Amino acid sequence: MRTRGWISGRSARFAGTRRATAVLLAAVFVSVGAGCDLIEGSDSSASSKEGEAGRRVERKAANPPPGLPAAFTSGQRLDWSACPPPSEAQGSGDAPGEGWECATMKVPLDYRRPGRDTIDVAMIRQRATGPEERRIGSLLFNFGGPGQSGVVGLPRYADDYASLRERYDLVGFDPRGVGRTAPVSCGKESFEGSEACEKHSGRLLPYVGTSHTARDLDLMRYLLGDEKLHFFGVSYGTALGGVYAHLFPENVGRLVLEAPVDPTLDRQEEDLSQVRAVQRAFDRFTEHCADAYDDCPTGSDPAQAGRRVVALLDRLERAPAPTGGGEKLDGDLAARAIANYLDQGEAGRRPLAKALTEVMERGTGRKLMEEAYDHAPGSRTRAGAGAGGTASGGNGTSAYVAIICADSNVRPGSGRTEEMNDRIEAASPVFGRAWSGGVYLCYDWPFEGERATLDVSADGAAPVLVVANTGDPTTPYAGAERMARELGENVGVLLTAQDEGHGSYLYNRCVTEAVDTYLLDGTPPGDAAVCP
């Protein structure tokens, strides 16, 4: 997920958190060690499962990542075994059910000095169900964030990809700084700011950025036995996929970048772009509400709807509404909840109308609170994905901030920060105030970030499929056009869905068929293809 301000994932169409401010409210701290140790060889062991799948011989690739000691490549095998329950840093819960197996992959903490400290990357997979001779390889997923555990997320969402499982092993992982992979922590009980991040995880902070995780992906590809990387990234996951394509264009297999981020904008410019997009989505909702519902809570005049909701948010800021739980709904939480409903596209419109009616007429905010922390890039809520989401559980907040600040070198002075704060508030009457706090993220971060914008140029790579909705309120459509262009001529292939919401795979039949055809047959749609 990149969310409003970078975070996203596949549950509201995926569970996660919404932006810096939201994340700071939702964080749960867990004190977990960094997991750095000396390189040790991994024992290989066959799966304990019975039957043909359990006896499958793992493939071997012939193109290891360059520059790594043999201990990481030829000297390392993935030891797959039964998965443990999620750790506290992953958000706790039950172990995944039958058919899932887990492993850890040893990687350098610093790829420039690969002979020094290492970390363990947590992985999970479900093997392909079809015959071995038809198996394409492994399909790796990143559902967004940053800060979401893929080890926890993939079992939740795997049924969404049943059409791919016959020919792919489905593989998830915890990126650096997240869950069981060298988890970052920034406080004892909640996110306590940059000083706490440096105190608890200072050794890790320079090495948790997207480019480091992309290098982990290439080692993962090799150890899984694939010559090429096959990857499905959603929202923030498209940043990871794009950076991988830039670093390893010759290893690009079939890459899907759904609901893509804009690689040409810096972090603060992206906040501004996002708040404009979510305001436009809200305006479309109020027009629909006035036309479709006799009891529309925002009224029959869309021109007045924004004023009514702004008045509601102001009232909630002065007197938060009860929710039936321990937390009350204030104006910022309500704004984020509205945005999360908008992420669900047309399917979220009637539920949003009911949630607004509840708080406007009855003075209770239960329905809005259920969505306040549930942000995702594939944003329609999946079965089993409850409020709270993956990015707001475990160490999701700390990881979110650490990865953003490792990626971005934007450290503006107070003058520019205040100017951007004013521009964001002015850009959206409904969402500007809630979104504006994100401009202060990384303001006093103790380490420099990598760059202002992403480099995703991937000349010579195989075609990469970029999928976007024209009405996406989290990753605006213009960013998808730029992502396809920046990947390079004959590389970025843009598939446009004339649809609302954040993400379209499964929700738009035309998109689903085009993506599946690309992943299963290797045939992308024609460039500039449009799905109604």
Side-chain angles (χ1 to χ4, degrees), residues 49 65 67 97 109 114 153 155 209 215 219 239 273 290 303 307 323 327 337 371 375 380 401 404 411 417 438 447 528:
K49 296 178 182 179
L109 175 66
R215 289 180 169 85
L219 180 56
S273 175
R307 294 187 182 93
T323 62
E327 188 173 10
E371 293 295 320
H375 179 277
R380 310 188 187 201
V401 176
I404 289 176
R411 306 286 191 269
T417 298
F447 299 98

Side-chain angles (χ1 to χ4, degrees), residues 138-140 168 214 217-218 221 227-234 237-258 456 458 461-467 483 487 491-494 514-515 518-520 522-525:
S138 295
L139 181 61
L140 279 65
Y168 283 104
L217 274 182
D218 200 51
R221 167 202 62 78
E227 303 285 332
K228 304 286 186 179
L229 177 75
H230 309 303
F231 177 82
F232 200 131
V234 182
T238 67
L240 177 58
V243 169
Y244 179 89
H246 169 68
L247 293 174
F248 305 101
E250 69 281 1
N251 293 342
V252 168
R254 302 172 189 179
L255 265 65
V256 175
L257 307 183
E258 182 192 15
V456 298
V464 174
L465 183 57
V466 179
V467 186
M483 174 66 85
L487 283 165
V491 178
V493 177
L494 179 60
V515 170
Y518 168 71
L519 288 173
L520 295 173
T523 305

Side-chain angles (χ1 to χ4, degrees), residues 193-278:
S194 60
E195 289 186 5
C197 291
E198 184 176 19
K199 176 182 177 181
H200 293 284
S201 297
R203 188 183 185 196
L204 287 171
L205 297 182
Y207 308 110
V208 297
T210 300
S211 65
H212 297 278
T213 297
R215 289 180 169 85
D216 294 342
L217 274 182
D218 200 51
L219 180 56
M220 194 178 302
R221 167 202 62 78
Y222 172 76
L223 294 176
L224 287 166
D226 291 336
E227 303 285 332
K228 304 286 186 179
L229 177 75
H230 309 303
F231 177 82
F232 200 131
V234 182
S235 202
Y236 162 77
T238 67
L240 177 58
V243 169
Y244 179 89
H246 169 68
L247 293 174
F248 305 101
E250 69 281 1
N251 293 342
V252 168
R254 302 172 189 179
L255 265 65
V256 175
L257 307 183
E258 182 192 15
V261 302
D262 189 333
T264 70
L265 299 181
D266 71 28
R267 184 179 55 77
Q268 292 195 337
E269 291 167 340
E270 186 177 34
D271 282 356
L272 182 60
S273 175
Q274 288 180 338
V275 80
R276 287 170 173 162
V278 72

Side-chain angles (χ1 to χ4, degrees), residues 164-483:
L164 305 173
R165 193 164 60 222
E166 181 179 352
R167 300 190 64 195
Y168 283 104
D169 295 344
L170 305 186
V171 178
F173 63 98
D174 287 355
R176 288 175 172 237
V178 179
R180 287 189 187 273
T181 301
V184 169
S185 51
C186 297
K188 294 181 178 179
E189 295 181 358
S190 63
F191 181 85
E192 297 175 3
S194 60
E195 289 186 5
C197 291
E198 184 176 19
K199 176 182 177 181
H200 293 284
S201 297
R203 188 183 185 196
L204 287 171
L205 297 182
Y207 308 110
V208 297
T210 300
S211 65
H212 297 278
T213 297
R215 289 180 169 85
D216 294 342
L217 274 182
D218 200 51
L219 180 56
M220 194 178 302
R221 167 202 62 78
Y222 172 76
L223 294 176
L224 287 166
D226 291 336
E227 303 285 332
K228 304 286 186 179
L229 177 75
H230 309 303
F231 177 82
F232 200 131
V234 182
S235 202
Y236 162 77
T238 67
L240 177 58
V243 169
Y244 179 89
H246 169 68
L247 293 174
F248 305 101
E250 69 281 1
N251 293 342
V252 168
R254 302 172 189 179
L255 265 65
V256 175
L257 307 183
E258 182 192 15
V261 302
D262 189 333
T264 70
L265 299 181
D266 71 28
R267 184 179 55 77
Q268 292 195 337
E269 291 167 340
E270 186 177 34
D271 282 356
L272 182 60
S273 175
Q274 288 180 338
V275 80
R276 287 170 173 162
V278 72
Q279 179 67 46
R280 291 193 296 267
F282 173 80
D283 293 341
R284 293 191 296 271
F285 159 75
T286 61
E287 292 176 3
H288 171 82
C289 187
D291 290 342
Y293 312 136
D294 292 336
D295 57 347
C296 175
T298 55
S300 59
D301 181 1
Q304 301 298 317
R307 294 187 182 93
R308 297 188 68 173
V309 173
V310 168
L312 168 68
L313 299 179
D314 288 342
R315 175 166 59 83
L316 291 173
E317 204 59 33
R318 294 191 303 269
T323 62
E327 188 173 10
K328 291 188 175 183
L329 182 80
D330 63 19
D332 280 0
L333 286 171
R336 286 190 288 272
I338 294 168
N340 283 329
Y341 276 112
L342 295 173
D343 271 354
Q344 298 174 30
E346 293 182 2
R349 285 176 167 175
R350 187 58 178 166
L352 173 56
K354 291 180 178 180
L356 288 172
T357 297
E358 178 190 55
V359 71
M360 287 177 168
E361 296 186 359
R362 296 196 289 277
T364 59
R366 181 181 61 83
K367 286 181 168 43
L368 283 175
M369 183 60 82
E370 287 176 351
E371 293 295 320
Y373 294 123
D374 186 13
H375 179 277
S379 226
R380 310 188 187 201
T381 303
R382 302 289 199 240
T390 54
S392 59
N395 80 322
T397 300
S398 297
Y400 166 77
V401 176
I403 294 168
I404 289 176
C405 296
D407 282 349
S408 173
N409 66 6
V410 176
R411 306 286 191 269
S414 58
R416 186 189 170 191
T417 298
E418 291 298 329
E419 176 191 0
M420 184 59 72
N421 185 89
D422 292 343
R423 291 178 67 190
I424 289 174
E425 291 195 10
S428 171
V430 175
F431 304 99
R433 181 174 61 192
W435 263 235
S436 62
V439 301
Y440 300 99
L441 193 66
C442 309
Y443 181 80
D444 58 350
W445 195 250
F447 299 98
E448 293 184 2
E450 189 165 330
R451 54 189 305 125
T453 60
L454 295 173
D455 191 345
V456 298
S457 58
D459 290 346
V464 174
L465 183 57
V466 179
V467 186
N469 283 345
T470 54
D472 194 316
T474 294
T475 49
Y477 178 74
E481 295 178 307
R482 295 181 186 125
M483 174 66 85

Side-chain angles (χ1 to χ4, degrees), residues 106-163:
K106 201 151 308 266
V107 302
L109 175 66
D110 181 358
Y111 277 88
R112 294 167 301 181
R113 302 173 181 83
R116 296 188 181 182
D117 290 340
T118 72
I119 58 175
D120 288 339
V121 176
M123 299 171 57
I124 189 169
R125 77 173 175 185
Q126 189 173 61
R127 294 187 179 192
T129 58
E132 176 64 18
E133 61 270 17
R134 286 182 49 79
R135 185 169 72 91
I136 296 169
S138 295
L139 181 61
L140 279 65
F141 291 86
N142 183 283
F143 298 116
Q148 292 198 41
S149 166
V151 172
V152 173
L154 183 57
R156 287 180 179 170
Y157 313 135
D159 286 348
D160 297 341
Y161 305 97
S163 60

